[in-house]
Structures are given as C-alpha cells and as structure tokens.
Amino acid sequence: MQQRDKIKPILFSIIKHSSKEELKSQIPKDIVSGIVVAIVALPLSIALGIASGVSPEQGLYTAIIAGFLIAFLGGSRVQISGPTAAFATIVAGIVATDGMEGLIAATIIAGILLILMGVFKLGAVIRFVPFTITTGFTAGIAVTLTIGQLEDLLGLTYPSGTTTIETTEKIAAIAGNLSTVNVQACLVGLVCLAILFVWPRITERFPGSLVALLVGIALVSGFNMDVNTIGDLYTIDGALPSFHLPQLDMNLFRSQLANGVTIAILAAIESLLSCVVADSMISSHHRANTELVAQGVGNIASVLFGGIPATGAIARTAANVKAGGRTPIAGMVHSLVLVAVLAFLMPYAALIPMPAIAAILVHVAYNMFGWRNFAHLCTTASKSAVFILLLTFVLTIVVDLVAAIGAGMLITVVLFLKSMSEETEVKGWKYYCDENSEVTHLRELPKSVRVYEINGPMFFGMTERIADISVKTFTKYLIIRMRGVPSLDSTGMNTLENLHKYCSAHGVSLIFSHVNEQPMKTMRRAGFVDLIGEDHFRTCIDDAIGYARSLLEQQSAVSREEVVVKAAQDSREADEDTTHHTQR
C-alpha cells in the first residue's frame, strides 16, 4: 500500500519523519501563516454564515471547529477548511425549510458517509468526476450565490411573507421589488466591490475583503447612511462554541437523507479538488482517504458545536501556501486565532454593512465561476462535452446540485460507453491467393482456418459486433485473436458462449490467441476455458495457426488411415464373396 493511501493523519507523519531542526524552523512560519489565514477567513466566515441563512458567529464556529479538526486529522499538508460558497445555497435551503435540526441531521449523515468513503478507500473515485461536470456545477453555484446577494447589494425591501428559498423564487422577488432599490446601499456595495477587484493589484499582503469591510463601516458610520448592518438584522453572540446534542429522530434522518448525500458528495469533491490544487503549489501528495475521514469528523463536530457544513477552501489554502505554511499546524493556528477574535472582537461585527457582505460574496462567486475555463470549454470541447457542461450548469441553478451531478454523470457514462463501443472493432483477416501480391508479412493459412481479430474492450455496448463473425462451409477452425482486448464483462462473455454454440452447430472448433489477463480470468470463472479446452488457448497468433495446422494434419492422417482401413475391409469382403461363390 502506498503511503498516500494510508488512513493516517499527515501531521503525525510530518512530526515523526522531520528532524527537530526542521520543526523548529518551520513551526514559526506556520504560526505566522495561520494568523494571516485567520485574517483572510474572518470576513469570509461571517459572510458565508449569513449567506447560509444562519448567524454570523456560526460561520466562525465552523471555521474554528471544522478547521481545527480537519487540519489535525487530515491528509493534506496545507489545506484550510471551513465554510465555503459551494455550501451556502444548499445550507440556506435546508435551514429555510427544515431549520437547524434538519441541517444537523443532514450534516451528520454527510459526515458518516464521508468517513465510510475514506474507510473503504473511495478517495480515488472522485477523480472520475469529469471536469465538465465540476466546472458546470461550480459555475452554477456561483450564479446562484450571486442571485442570492442582490437583495442586500441593491438594498431591496421585500414584502412580509415573501418566499425566497429557490433560485427562481429569488429572481421573481428581485424583479418584483426593483422599485425599492436603496441608492445608498448600492453605493456602499459598489465601492466595496471595486475595492475587492482593485486591491489585489495594489498589494496581496493584506486581504482585500477586510479592507472592504473597514471601508464599508467607515462609509455607513461616517456619513450616517440608511443602510442595514449586521447588527440591524442579527443579535451578535460572542460566546465560544459549545456542544449541543439536539433531539433527533429516525424520521428526521430519513427525510434528510438526500440532503446528506448532497453535502457528502460536494464536500468530497470540493475538498479533494482543493487538495490537488494545494499539491501542485507545494509539490506534495495528499492522502485522499485520510482527508475524507477528517472531513467527515470535522463536519459532524461542526454542527454539534453550532456550526454548518465545511470543506476545503481553495482561496484560504492558497493564502496559507503564499504565507509560508507547510504543515497542518497553520490550519490549527488559524482556528485558534479565530477563537480570540470571536471572544474579544465579535461585538464590532454588528457595524458591518450588509452591502459590504454582499459585495464580498459576489466577489467570491466571481472567482468561483471561473469564466475563463467555462468559455474555453465552450469553444474547444466537443459538442457532447459542451452539452454536459451547460446541462449541469443550468440544472444547478434551476433545480439542485444532486439533479445536476446525477444527470451530468448519467449522460457522461452513456456517451463514454457509446464512444468505447465505437472504438471496439471485429475484423476478419483478408485472404490473398495471388503469390505476386504487393502485401508483405503475409501468413500462410490452411483454407479451412479462418481468423478474426478483436480490438477494444468487450462489454455490453459492443456485443452486436461479434454477430459479424461468420464461417464458411469448408471452415474447420476459427481463430479469435484477442491481444487488443483489455477487458471482458459478463455480457461479452455471454456473447463468446453464443459464438461457441454457433461454431459447434457448424462443426467448427474455436481457438483463442493472446488472451489478456482480465479476459482470461473472466473466462475461467465462467467455465469457458474448460468448455473450449485449455489447449485451445495459445500465446500468440503464430502459435494458434500452427496448432490449427497440426490438428488439421492429425485429422488428415486419421482420414487417410480410415481410407486405408476401409479399402482393406472392402478387399476382405470382396475375397470372402469370391470364396463363397467358388464353394457354391
């Protein structure tokens, strides 16, 4: 087993295999990096908590609890976990319909599924999710998140009782209440948004999101603007997270199973994609299964301590790498710094304007959308790939993530099987009788031997091609060359059994040439090798042709012997008739 496949926290391996000098040199860098990441994570955690339909401090609880445990138990050196934009719309929908107890039940289900995925070594399965699907649903989530922030960004006022859970409902509410736009809120939001886009060009040493929050507070407080702040909408609680086990029952868990699966799938995909990005930045390798187990533990603990679902955050992970973090200690320090912020500075969060929060989330959604990749795929990918991309994108916005991923994967598999079946070919050898033929490297074949070559996997998508195999009235042996067949499934095996019945009915024997390991195992399990005969499986085509020729020679010798015996018998019978006639 490779080291990266072990379910063992990478922190433990780093401590075990690093010298004291290396640790003394790196730990101070990790502490500094953790402080920097905490500064980046602070406004994002508050904003994502609000976007998820919970209180601002619950976003911090998530970064503290899940961030610490996932770093401590995880399989990545530098990944930072916490609340992310990918979860915001999903969590908001669950909270709006089923409350916090529904979210807790769904997240516990997701956590258990993530742990099981890690235990059963399913971390590598995530790489089979096509890039078109991940790009499509990520862009769809970004659009959904942006739509959800337009209310605060524009300072809209909705009538009491307006339902804004689904994206279509949000669009309808925005369209129906555009007349209530707050110009001052728009001004604050646009200024903050401009800062977020321009600030990275000025410096990356200080996060633009924190600058935007400070400027937004200064504008609203300094000019006494009529703009909603966090304090106007939420009661700020600076208490540290505490353990709380709610009253949950099996009916609630059953009703939240679909949401739990959604959270688990998204957490697995997002966290492992973030790990891959982090690996490319530091030339390292993560332990996928360990990371999944840690994500499961972190998510369960997060909701039991008042938080929301968490996963790996690419932006915060990148900030950690740039700040010099190289061990999970940076992620743990980031969580501890947020504890101090929560305890001493949380009351000041009441001053943050809601348009500033909306601007931060719109900026996050812009970066999340990845419009360059999206446009590149649309212009360079095949028509089927573009169709899957757009379908996943639209379904994520209009329906939900499960429908988007499910439909995208189903169509991808169908198209893949179709393309694979088109790659598989069954062709018979051409026979040249002209000795002056310009074709070289010809093999001499007896007239009664026929050869067919199969190239490509033999699975249920191509079985009808075997029906193209035919024999002549004078054919005695049919050689099937399978050196180009990497795999054989049960349907393909059934097709070969039918071919054997067809050949037996026509007095033709089958000989197989160069059967690869996996198809051979399938044939043995099915009893096909015993049915055909071990000797009829040859190592190469020349061996198979030679074997067929030797069988023909044996048959020819037997036939000659039978002719001689018949002639002798006829002669004896003739002599007996003559003797009998003479006696009479």
Side-chain angles (χ1 to χ4, degrees):
M1 181 186 293
Q2 293 183 352
Q3 186 74 7
R4 72 186 71 170
D5 293 331
K6 290 183 178 180
I7 301 179
K8 179 182 179 181
I10 201 166
L11 175 62
F12 298 174
S13 297
I14 292 172
I15 294 174
K16 180 179 178 180
H17 297 292
S18 299
S19 64
K20 291 183 178 180
E21 290 73 18
E22 290 174 333
L23 291 175
K24 287 181 180 179
S25 172
Q26 183 57 46
I27 288 177
K29 297 177 183 177
D30 290 327
I31 293 173
V32 172
S33 181
I35 296 171
V36 172
V37 173
I39 296 172
V40 174
L42 174 62
L44 291 176
S45 298
I46 292 174
L48 290 167
I50 294 172
S52 299
V54 298
S55 63
E57 63 269 16
Q58 286 181 273
L60 287 177
Y61 291 168
T62 309
I64 291 169
I65 301 298
F68 185 91
L69 286 176
I70 294 172
F72 180 69
L73 300 173
S76 173
R77 285 176 168 266
V78 294
Q79 172 142 280
I80 304 295
S81 296
T84 62
F87 280 132
T89 54
I90 298 171
V91 172
I94 297 173
V95 172
T97 55
D98 303 303
M100 277 302 299
E101 288 194 350
L103 178 62
I104 292 171
T107 309
I108 290 175
I109 292 171
I112 293 171
L113 290 176
L114 286 166
I115 292 172
L116 291 175
M117 289 169 68
V119 169
F120 289 104
K121 308 292 192 297
L122 297 180
V125 174
I126 303 301
R127 69 172 181 261
F128 293 109
V129 179
F131 183 61
T132 49
I133 292 179
T134 57
T135 302
F137 78 69
T138 302
I141 291 172
V143 170
T144 303
L145 181 62
T146 301
I147 292 171
Q149 301 313 306
L150 292 180
E151 177 186 0
D152 290 326
L153 191 66
L154 301 176
L156 300 177
T157 302
Y158 294 166
S160 177
T162 302
T163 303
T164 55
I165 298 175
E166 302 295 336
T167 304
T168 51
E169 294 173 342
K170 293 176 182 177
I171 294 173
I174 292 168
N177 295 280
L178 281 175
S179 59
T180 65
V181 169
N182 184 333
V183 177
Q184 294 182 353
C186 284
L187 178 62
V188 173
L190 290 175
V191 169
C192 292
L193 201 57
I195 291 171
L196 289 164
F197 279 101
V198 174
W199 188 260
R201 300 182 181 181
I202 299 173
T203 180
E204 292 186 354
R205 293 184 178 182
F206 199 74
S209 56
L210 195 56
V211 175
L213 286 186
L214 295 175
V215 171
I217 293 172
L219 286 173
V220 174
S221 301
F223 294 96
N224 196 26
M225 290 183 168
D226 181 21
V227 175
N228 282 333
T229 63
I230 290 178
D232 295 329
L233 304 178
Y234 301 91
T235 300
I236 303 298
D237 184 4
L240 296 178
S242 59
F243 180 80
H244 172 62
L245 185 63
Q247 295 295 322
L248 304 173
D249 55 50
M250 290 307 299
N251 290 330
L252 183 60
F253 279 108
R254 278 194 291 268
S255 66
Q256 293 300 321
L257 181 60
N259 288 329
V261 172
T262 302
I263 294 172
I265 292 174
L266 187 56
I269 293 174
E270 289 290 319
S271 62
L272 294 184
L273 284 177
S274 178
C275 284
V276 170
V277 173
D279 287 346
S280 66
M281 296 177 74
I282 62 172
S283 300
S284 180
H285 293 288
H286 69 281
R287 298 174 183 173
N289 298 310
T290 302
E291 185 65 24
L292 289 177
V293 171
Q295 291 286 337
V297 173
N299 272 277
I300 293 173
S302 175
V303 293
L304 292 180
F305 278 87
I308 57 177
T311 187
I314 295 177
R316 277 158 273 177
T317 299
N320 181 31
V321 172
K322 292 177 181 178
R326 291 297 181 273
T327 77
I329 293 173
M332 296 158 65
V333 169
H334 129 271
S335 297
L336 296 176
V337 172
L338 290 177
V339 171
V341 171
L342 179 65
F344 300 107
L345 300 178
M346 196 58 190
Y348 296 103
L351 301 174
I352 300 174
M354 293 305 296
I357 293 292
I360 290 173
L361 291 172
V362 169
H363 184 254
V364 168
Y366 172 81
N367 291 329
M368 184 180 180
F369 189 95
W371 65 270
R372 289 183 177 85
N373 283 334
F374 197 93
H376 180 72
L377 281 175
C378 288
T379 54
T380 60
S382 64
K383 291 181 179 179
S384 60
V386 173
F387 173 73
I388 293 169
L389 170 69
L390 297 177
L391 177 68
T392 308
F393 173 68
V394 172
L395 287 178
T396 302
I397 298 171
V398 177
V399 187
D400 57 39
L401 186 65
V402 174
I405 295 178
M409 287 299 295
L410 178 62
I411 296 174
T412 299
V413 169
V414 171
L415 292 175
F416 172 76
L417 293 176
K418 181 178 181 295
S419 64
M420 290 299 293
S421 66
E422 292 172 351
E423 290 295 322
T424 302
E425 62 176 358
V426 179
K427 60 181 180 180
W429 279 16
K430 292 182 179 180
Y431 292 78
Y432 294 89
C433 300
D434 184 6
E435 294 181 356
N436 298 321
S437 171
E438 295 180 359
V439 181
T440 59
H441 306 296
L442 293 177
R443 288 179 172 85
E444 184 179 348
L445 284 179
K447 181 181 180 182
S448 54
V449 175
R450 194 164 181 83
V451 179
Y452 273 87
E453 189 160 352
I454 304 176
N455 290 304
M458 292 182 64
F459 65 105
F460 60 88
M462 53 72 60
T463 51
E464 77 281 355
R465 296 176 184 270
I466 300 296
D468 296 337
I469 295 177
S470 62
V471 295
K472 305 295 184 181
T473 55
F474 51 80
T475 303
K476 298 298 181 183
Y477 291 96
L478 175 62
I479 297 175
I480 305 297
R481 194 181 194 187
M482 294 181 63
R483 64 173 182 172
V485 179
S487 60
L488 171 71
D489 72 355
S490 57
T491 307
M493 185 68 257
N494 180 256
T495 304
L496 289 179
E497 290 171 345
N498 291 335
L499 176 64
H500 172 255
K501 293 176 182 178
Y502 165 78
C503 290
S504 297
H506 289 78
V508 177
S509 296
L510 281 173
I511 298 174
F512 290 87
S513 164
H514 198 149
V515 180
N516 290 309
E517 183 178 358
Q518 191 279 334
M520 195 67 178
K521 287 182 179 179
T522 303
M523 290 180 178
R524 288 193 186 280
R525 278 198 306 269
F528 191 69
V529 175
D530 295 331
L531 179 66
I532 300 298
E534 189 79 37
D535 291 342
H536 283 241
F537 287 83
R538 316 307 294 188
T539 57
C540 63
I541 187 62
D542 292 318
D543 184 21
I545 294 172
Y547 181 65
R549 183 179 285 111
S550 67
L551 292 177
L552 285 171
E553 290 173 354
Q554 290 176 16
Q555 289 180 349
S556 178
V558 169
S559 297
R560 287 196 299 270
E561 183 178 346
E562 289 177 349
V563 171
V564 172
V565 170
K566 183 68 167 57
Q569 184 177 357
D570 291 343
S571 177
R572 285 196 301 271
E573 290 177 354
D575 291 342
E576 289 175 356
D577 289 341
T578 302
T579 304
H580 181 67
H581 178 72
T582 304
Q583 290 176 349
R584 292 184 59 188

